[in-house]
């Protein structure tokens, strides 16, 4: 058998195809999966260009980041499926019933050796993005591992879009040339960066910071408020924080550089910053995480496993919400029947943190919506609203007006705690609603 580490340049050359050549490998009836964070617009566009000759293609996207046109109406070759998290790209297609949404936790999506292999594990074609090969023929998934490795292991056909800008990262981030069926070299494209919206009021950042202690292991989810917590100083006064999180938000890498995040006191993977995806939003971040052994990117099925999360002492989950009702039911994905995003890993981390020794679950939300006209703290969630975190796992809730401590409180006590942190303009109406409840 040839030495694959010596022969990889020839193998890479044989597997290097044009976008059209790679797209020609897709068959009618295939299930195509695009992992979270995979930067594959070149391949996707080439596959979509074959829309008149293909049929019965199921496309599974997790947090869609690009659209070659298959979310638009009028292309019957493609059946679109969005898993776990919707974005602005897929939102209209979902509301127009041109795409289906599947809610299943990351840990269940790739549950090892599960007898229910279909459709949970099914993938004919995996589209992934990688760095160029190193001297041994290993490519890196860059800043986004998520479930790329898991999909690549299960798919009949692996097509990789190569981006020279992707850094090399440690952990589950490597795939060898021999494990990829086709490569497409793409033009210049910056590494994926965590979403927009890094404006967090200082009042909220300070309150969240008081709930985090030196030596805690934290997870900060993406959201309009939580994205801004690091740069608003929520964690700047802490020491020896650890990280076990599905993703990073802007400013987290900077906290590692400043020595705030060290991981020294972590129960699991001490000294390691463990995540399924990293952020590189500041100058020099990409160079800092490149080949940095402190950053360990792991498959999201491991990162989001509540059993792994709960094994961390003093685990603190910090996530965004759209609304919460008096009972403590939290939604981060929909209002009434309108799907906004999805559960992501929020429930996994809420449960894991609450089962952790010394753990806490922190929910962050603005007290109002629609320029103050609507309270996000409500007596009951509107009919049709999807509950992301059940009431039993509601713990600390933070608005710009304070912190409600819900764990162990009665229903009436919970409502009173929440009313106290509602916007003052809505408190009287909320008290009247509470008085009417039996």
């Amino acid at each position: 058998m040839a030495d694959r580490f010596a022969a990889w340049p020839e193998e890479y050359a044989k597997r290097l195809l044009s976008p059209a050549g790679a797209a020609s490998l897709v068959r009618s009836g295939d299930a195509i999966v695009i992992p979270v964070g995979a930067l594959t617009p070149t391949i996707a566009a080439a596959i979509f260009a074959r829309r008149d000759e293909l049929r019965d293609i199921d496309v599974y996207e997790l947090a869609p980041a690009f659209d070659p046109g298959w979310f638009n109406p009028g292309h019957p070759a493609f059946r679109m499926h969005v898993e776990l998290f919707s974005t602005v790209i897929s939102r209209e297609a979902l509301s127009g019933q041109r795409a289906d949404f599947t809610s299943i936790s990351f840990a269940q999506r790739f549950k090892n050796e599960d007898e229910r292999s279909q459709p949970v594990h099914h993938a004919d074609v995996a589209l992934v993005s990688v760095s160029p090969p190193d001297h041994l023929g290993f490519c890196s998934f860059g800043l986004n591992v998520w479930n790329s490795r898991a999909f690549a292991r299960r798919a009949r056909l692996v097509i990789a879009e190569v981006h020279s800008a992707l850094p090399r990262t440690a952990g589950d981030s490597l795939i060898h040339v021999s494990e990829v069926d086709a490569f497409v070299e793409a033009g210049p494209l910056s590494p994926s960066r965590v979403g927009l919206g890094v404006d967090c009021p200082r009042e909220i950042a300070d309150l969240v910071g008081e709930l985090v202690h030196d030596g805690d292991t934290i997870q900060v989810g993406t959201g309009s408020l939580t994205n801004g917590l690091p740069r608003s100083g929520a964690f700047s006064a802490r020491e020896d924080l650890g990280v076990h999180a599905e993703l990073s938000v802007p400013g987290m890498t900077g906290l590692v550089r400043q020595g705030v995040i060290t991981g020294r006191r972590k129960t699991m993977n001490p000294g390691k910053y463990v995540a399924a995806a990293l952020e590189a939003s500041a100058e020099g971040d990409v160079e800092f995480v490149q080949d940095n052994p402190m950053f360990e990117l792991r498959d999201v099925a491991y990162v989001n496993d509540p059993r792994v999360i709960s094994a961390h002492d003093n685990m603190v989950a910090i996530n965004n919400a759209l609304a919460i009702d008096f009972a403590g039911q939290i939604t981060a994905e929909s209002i009434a029947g309108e799907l906004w995003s999805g559960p992501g890993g929020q429930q996994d981390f809420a449960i894991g943190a609450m089962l952790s020794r010394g753990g806490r679950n922190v929910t962050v939300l603005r007290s109002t919506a629609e320029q103050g006209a609507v309270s996000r703290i409500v007596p009951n969630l509107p009919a049709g609203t999807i509950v992301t975190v059940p009431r039993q796992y509601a713990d600390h809730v933070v608005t710009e007006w304070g912190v409600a401590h819900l764990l162990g409180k009665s229903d009436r006590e919970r409502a009173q705690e929440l009313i106290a942190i509602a916007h003052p303009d809505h408190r009287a109406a909320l008290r009247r609603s509470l008085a009417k409840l039996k």
Side-chain angles (χ1 to χ4, degrees):
M1 182 179 292
D3 183 347
R4 69 172 183 151
F5 299 109
W8 77 260
E10 292 79 10
E11 289 299 314
Y12 182 78
K14 286 192 297 185
R15 300 172 195 209
L16 183 59
L17 303 177
S18 67
S24 70
L25 302 175
V26 176
R27 308 168 185 169
S28 290
D30 275 346
I32 299 173
V33 292
I34 305 175
V36 185
L39 307 173
T40 61
T42 306
I43 301 169
I47 294 171
F48 184 68
R50 296 185 58 207
R51 58 191 176 276
D52 292 333
E53 58 187 273
L54 292 171
R55 67 183 187 279
D56 297 328
I57 299 288
D58 287 289
V59 180
Y60 295 85
E61 286 202 66
L62 291 80
F66 51 84
D67 177 21
W70 47 30
F71 279 110
N72 294 327
H75 303 299
F78 301 97
R79 293 187 291 263
M80 302 306 298
H81 308 265
V82 179
E83 294 188 340
L84 280 164
F85 203 86
S86 179
T87 66
V88 65
I89 290 171
S90 54
R91 214 165 277 150
E92 186 178 340
L94 287 169
S95 64
Q97 299 185 16
R98 298 191 305 276
D100 290 335
F101 187 82
T102 302
S103 181
I104 183 171
S105 73
F106 281 112
Q108 290 293 323
R109 183 65 167 88
F110 295 110
K111 186 178 176 184
N112 290 332
E113 300 177 359
D114 194 318
E115 71 281 1
R116 294 165 295 170
S117 59
Q118 302 284 354
V120 177
H121 291 167
H122 186 54
D124 294 307
V125 182
L127 307 185
V128 300
S129 55
V130 298
S131 71
D134 66 8
H135 67 290
L136 293 174
F138 286 99
C139 303
S140 172
F141 294 119
L143 298 176
N144 289 282
V145 168
W146 289 101
N147 41 17
S148 290
R149 191 80 181 104
F151 274 136
R153 285 173 175 157
R154 288 172 169 83
R156 181 197 81 243
L157 176 69
V158 180
I159 305 176
E161 187 160 323
V162 183
H163 295 282
S164 60
L166 292 183
R168 305 186 63 78
T169 49
D172 295 331
S173 182
L174 299 180
I175 185 169
H176 196 262
V177 165
S178 60
E179 299 175 274
V180 177
D181 299 288
F183 292 92
V184 173
E185 291 183 346
L189 185 65
S190 297
S192 175
R193 300 177 188 274
V194 172
L196 302 176
V198 293
D199 176 31
C200 181
R202 188 58 189 257
E203 298 89 346
I204 289 179
D206 288 346
L207 290 168
V208 171
E210 292 173 5
L211 296 172
V212 176
H213 310 148
D214 292 347
D216 284 347
T217 295
I218 64 172
Q219 172 261 336
V220 183
T222 189
S224 60
L225 287 176
T226 47
N227 277 3
L229 286 171
R231 290 182 176 171
S232 296
F235 313 114
S236 298
R238 302 278 75 84
E239 295 181 356
D240 285 338
L241 293 181
V243 172
H244 181 91
E246 65 180 24
L247 52 78
S248 295
V249 297
M252 292 290 279
T253 303
L255 292 176
V256 177
R257 300 171 78 169
Q258 296 162 26
V260 174
I261 294 172
T262 66
R264 291 193 189 105
R265 304 191 207 175
K266 287 182 70 179
T267 317
M268 300 280 287
N269 305 303
K272 300 292 186 180
Y273 185 120
V274 175
L278 299 176
E279 61 94 20
S281 53
E283 189 70 29
D285 279 354
V286 171
E287 293 76 13
F288 182 67
V289 302
Q290 169 114 349
D291 292 320
N292 187 333
M294 180 178 176
F295 294 94
E296 190 167 286
L297 288 177
R298 300 292 297 270
D299 190 284
V300 71
Y302 169 82
V303 174
N304 282 45
D305 188 331
R307 294 167 298 186
V308 174
I309 297 166
S310 65
H312 293 77
D313 291 349
N314 303 308
M315 181 76 213
V316 184
I318 305 168
N319 289 286
N320 209 68
L322 294 174
I324 184 171
D325 68 12
F326 282 173
Q329 297 185 114
I330 298 164
T331 180
E333 49 192 302
S334 80
I335 292 295
E338 191 69 23
L339 185 68
W340 182 253
S341 55
Q346 183 166 166
Q347 188 179 100
D348 296 332
F349 277 92
I351 293 172
M354 293 295 281
L355 294 176
S356 157
R357 185 171 68 174
R360 281 141 279 152
N361 180 36
V362 179
T363 301
V364 181
L365 73 164
R366 297 182 191 275
S367 60
T368 62
E370 297 185 17
Q371 299 180 325
V374 175
S375 175
R376 292 182 184 269
I377 294 172
V378 294
N380 297 288
L381 292 176
T385 299
I386 297 169
V387 175
T388 308
V389 178
R391 58 188 297 198
Q392 292 83 2
Y393 294 98
D395 190 5
H396 303 290
V397 180
V398 180
T399 73
E400 63 271 38
W401 300 99
V403 181
H405 306 282
L406 304 187
L407 181 64
K409 301 290 176 66
S410 71
D411 288 349
R412 185 165 296 277
E413 289 170 334
R414 284 180 170 223
Q416 291 168 341
E417 287 268 343
L418 289 166
I419 291 170
I421 65 167
H423 193 284
D425 292 348
H426 295 279
R427 289 178 191 170
L430 291 171
R431 291 192 188 100
R432 289 193 294 270
S433 297
L434 177 60
K436 296 176 183 178
L437 294 178
K438 294 183 179 179

